[in-house]
Amino acid sequence: MKQVDRLPEKHIFICVNNREQGSCCLKVNGIDTFQKIKSYILSHGLAGRVWVTKTGCQGFCNPVGTTISVYPEKKIFTEVKPEEVDKILEEVLSK
Ligand code: FES
């Protein structure tokens, strides 16, 4: 076993879960939201300091938008639409 001591300052988890019936983040543009967040992090030179990871269901499924959680802040955003990504990132990355 090897322990890593170089950790990111923040880790953003974006749900892209898919399910055939009922609400899920894949049906409400979860992939677009993930891509937009990834592009933002890369274009702002934050790769390595901020990690971005796709996840399965985070337990807040809805028919409106994607669920995103941010650590270490333990903030969870639900019903996120791709066009709202910049606003969320400006908020969580300013602290
Ligand atoms: S499918 Fe995304 S929170 Fe449940």
Side-chain angles (χ1 to χ4, degrees), residues 32-52:
D32 291 344
T33 299
F34 169 79
Q35 294 293 358
K36 195 157 184 191
I37 292 173
K38 192 93 177 169
S39 295
Y40 183 103
I41 297 304
L42 291 172
S43 66
H44 286 74
L46 296 169
R49 290 175 48 206
V50 179
W51 289 2
V52 180

Side-chain angles (χ1 to χ4, degrees), residues 10-88:
K10 296 185 191 289
H11 200 158
I12 302 172
F13 297 93
I14 301 105
C15 178
V16 294
N17 188 54
N18 185 26
R19 63 169 59 93
E20 288 185 19
Q21 295 184 353
S23 299
C24 70
C25 291
L26 194 73
K27 291 178 185 168
V28 289
N29 300 315
I31 294 290
D32 291 344
T33 299
F34 169 79
Q35 294 293 358
K36 195 157 184 191
I37 292 173
K38 192 93 177 169
S39 295
Y40 183 103
I41 297 304
L42 291 172
S43 66
H44 286 74
L46 296 169
R49 290 175 48 206
V50 179
W51 289 2
V52 180
T53 302
K54 294 179 203 166
T55 74
C57 181
Q58 297 185 26
F60 297 96
C61 323
N62 67 82
V64 178
T66 307
T67 301
I68 296 171
S69 53
V70 182
Y71 291 85
E73 286 80 2
K74 298 182 182 173
K75 285 193 172 187
I76 297 177
F77 299 88
T78 64
E79 302 185 11
V80 177
K81 298 175 182 169
E83 60 268 26
E84 297 172 314
V85 161
D86 285 6
K87 184 179 174 196
I88 289 172

